[in-house]
Amino acid sequence: MVFDLLRPVNAEIVEFIAQGSPYALGNKVVLHKPNEFPVLENVKIALIGVLDNRGGTEGSDVNLQNVRKSLYQLFPGNWNVNIVDLGNVLPGEKITDTHFLVKEMVAELVKRKIIPVVLGGGQNLTYAMYRGYDKLEQMVNVVNVDSSFDIGTEESDHTDKSFVSKIIVNEPNNLFNYVNIGYQVYYNSQYEIDLMDQLYFDSYRLGDVSADLSLAEPVFRDSDLVSFDMNAVKSSASGNNLPFIPNGFNGKEICALSRYAGISDKVSSFGLFNQRGGESESMLIAQIVWYFIEGVNYRSNEYPFGSRANYIKYNVLVDEMDLVFYKSDVTERWWIEIPSFEKGNRLQPNTLLPCSYADYVKACENEVPERWWKAYRKNIL
């Protein structure tokens, strides 16, 4: 079994938890200890450390000791989700060996409806997480919280700057949509910016998201895999100055985005990468994970629709197109309908795309929401 290759949580962490408050999160998490692997039945979230930094922040070792200490001394909310810490994946002989283990673990956990929270080294591990969906035979939406698109032009190296190109190109191609949240223009070539538009992918600039974090909520609601790059956080918030990152999300913003990811009924895996092990950053990472767990605890189970009885339907005529919106009576969240279409010899059914109230207002002002256009075009291609 692939979990047999995981190393138990360090004894120092076990002792640290024992010496802390009995009400702290560490005492609510079932740890992988020597000869004691957690029972996975009825588990909702599984933490996995990956100690492989090849292709990521070169020159720095992956040390999750501070992250675990920072996380396990926090107090949980009124949560009812069961959490396990499965320990660590050690670097394989080759980076592809590490990727294989991560892929297999993600596949097994998602199949069991357990959300893997992967903490570790290079963000290229996102590609391994994505490959974990191969066996599930489903299309995948990926959200990358990052200052760059990570599309790159390299075809062979497993690096943080090119892993998305592998997701787009490599078979089997399960990718339906890729979204970047928080990109900074000067970190991305014009080639990458143009390619995002040509592929009908979505992207949101740092300034726009910081000014209105609610822009990101519908994006996470439509995501399967979410990947956070700590390089998207500015140095004054993370405490890291090598390299110095003058602009990026602050602590409050990155935690809010993490909560959006957690509260999404669709998100089935979460990764947080390019951490450097410092005490300041470790506490921030711990709080990012804390907010993700809280979000999972407060999921409303609105996706996918079991019944539309609890939703108000709105029809808006825009340039002779009938746009159909749905608003939840329970959470007041919005969806827009992507109409049915013929593909090959088959009629594809209507689908629902998460949206915001602002999208509905734009439609009422005779403007088709951009995300609707991109989703519609991807559907008919």
Side-chain angles (χ1 to χ4, degrees):
M1 190 175 184
V2 68
F3 296 124
D4 293 339
L5 298 174
L6 283 163
R7 291 296 179 91
V9 174
N10 192 288
E12 181 184 347
I13 299 299
V14 178
E15 183 179 350
F16 175 83
I17 293 172
Q19 294 176 349
S21 169
Y23 304 107
L25 179 59
N27 286 294
K28 307 297 182 183
V29 176
V30 180
L31 304 179
H32 177 195
K33 302 176 184 178
N35 301 317
E36 294 182 39
F37 192 81
V39 176
L40 297 181
E41 187 177 355
N42 297 321
V43 168
K44 187 62 179 177
I45 295 173
L47 303 178
I48 301 175
V50 183
L51 308 185
D52 195 332
N53 214 25
R54 286 171 289 187
T57 310
E58 299 292 350
S60 63
D61 295 328
V62 182
N63 186 344
L64 297 175
Q65 292 292 91
N66 285 334
V67 172
R68 284 188 164 101
K69 287 181 179 180
S70 298
L71 177 62
Y72 291 150
Q73 69 180 317
L74 299 178
F75 293 96
N78 186 25
W79 299 342
N80 57 18
V81 295
N82 295 323
I83 309 167
V84 297
D85 187 335
L86 299 183
N88 296 319
V89 175
L90 298 183
E93 183 177 346
K94 296 181 291 185
I95 192 171
T96 50
D97 297 329
T98 305
H99 278 212
F100 176 79
L101 289 179
V102 173
K103 178 191 75 170
E104 293 297 310
M105 290 177 189
V106 168
E108 182 63 25
L109 290 170
V110 173
K111 182 180 178 180
R112 293 172 180 245
K113 300 189 183 303
I114 299 173
I115 303 170
V117 174
V118 180
L119 306 173
Q123 200 188 14
N124 59 79
L125 293 166
T126 305
Y127 176 73
M129 294 178 66
Y130 165 76
R131 289 270 71 104
Y133 288 83
D134 290 350
K135 295 181 180 179
L136 304 177
E137 297 181 352
Q138 68 174 73
M139 299 302 290
V140 183
N141 291 339
V142 177
V143 172
N144 182 19
V145 178
D146 201 338
S147 58
S148 60
F149 297 142
D150 295 332
I151 293 177
T153 57
E154 301 176 51
E155 297 182 355
S156 58
D157 294 334
H158 291 274
T159 71
D160 286 1
K161 297 302 181 184
S162 63
F163 72 91
V164 175
S165 63
K166 292 183 174 297
I167 292 177
I168 296 171
V169 174
N170 288 2
E171 297 288 345
N173 194 336
N174 307 321
L175 183 68
F176 180 74
N177 195 28
Y178 169 71
V179 183
N180 175 282
I181 294 177
Y183 81 96
Q184 299 176 46
V185 175
Y186 36 75
Y187 290 144
N188 298 276
S189 68
Q190 192 59 48
Y191 162 80
E192 292 174 295
I193 294 172
D194 292 341
L195 186 59
M196 288 286 288
D197 287 334
Q198 292 166 11
L199 296 173
Y200 304 120
F201 291 155
D202 300 307
S203 56
Y204 298 83
R205 292 183 65 168
L206 170 66
D208 294 332
V209 180
S210 294
D212 184 6
L213 287 174
S214 66
L215 287 173
E217 188 277 326
V219 175
F220 286 116
R221 208 178 341 140
D222 197 38
S223 174
D224 300 287
L225 190 167
V226 174
S227 177
F228 276 41
D229 186 339
M230 286 304 295
N231 289 323
V233 180
K234 60 185 177 181
S235 292
S236 59
S238 69
N240 285 321
N241 293 309
L242 293 174
F244 180 70
I245 303 172
N247 292 302
F249 291 114
N250 61 33
K252 180 181 178 181
E253 292 165 347
I254 199 71
C255 286
L257 294 176
S258 179
R259 191 177 190 277
Y260 278 146
I263 211 168
S264 165
D265 296 314
K266 192 179 181 187
V267 169
S268 54
S269 63
F270 180 82
L272 201 157
F273 305 104
N274 281 333
Q275 59 86 32
R276 293 169 179 81
E279 291 188 9
S280 297
E281 184 191 51
S282 293
M283 179 52 74
L284 177 57
I285 291 173
Q287 293 187 12
I288 292 171
V289 174
W290 189 97
Y291 274 101
F292 178 79
I293 297 172
E294 183 184 62
V296 171
N297 184 76
Y298 289 111
R299 289 185 173 186
S300 57
N301 299 315
E302 287 185 312
Y303 185 94
F305 285 115
S307 167
R308 300 188 185 183
N310 295 326
Y311 299 85
I312 304 172
K313 181 178 179 181
Y314 297 84
N315 290 75
V316 181
L317 192 64
V318 181
D319 293 333
E320 300 183 355
M321 289 189 300
D322 184 19
L323 298 186
V324 181
F325 290 85
Y326 290 91
K327 177 186 175 183
S328 168
D329 279 351
V330 178
T331 63
E332 298 189 349
R333 295 191 293 187
W334 290 77
W335 284 261
I336 186 172
E337 189 173 84
I338 308 298
S340 60
F341 60 95
E342 289 187 9
K343 195 165 188 176
N345 296 321
R346 300 180 63 183
L347 180 66
Q348 304 296 319
N350 294 346
T351 56
L352 292 171
L353 177 71
C355 67
S356 64
Y357 173 68
D359 291 320
Y360 170 72
V361 172
K362 285 182 180 179
C364 292
E365 295 173 349
N366 207 41
E367 181 179 347
V368 177
E370 184 177 1
R371 289 189 70 237
W372 183 93
W373 269 121
K374 288 184 176 181
Y376 178 73
R377 287 167 179 165
K378 278 200 291 284
N379 273 342
I380 63 177
L381 289 178

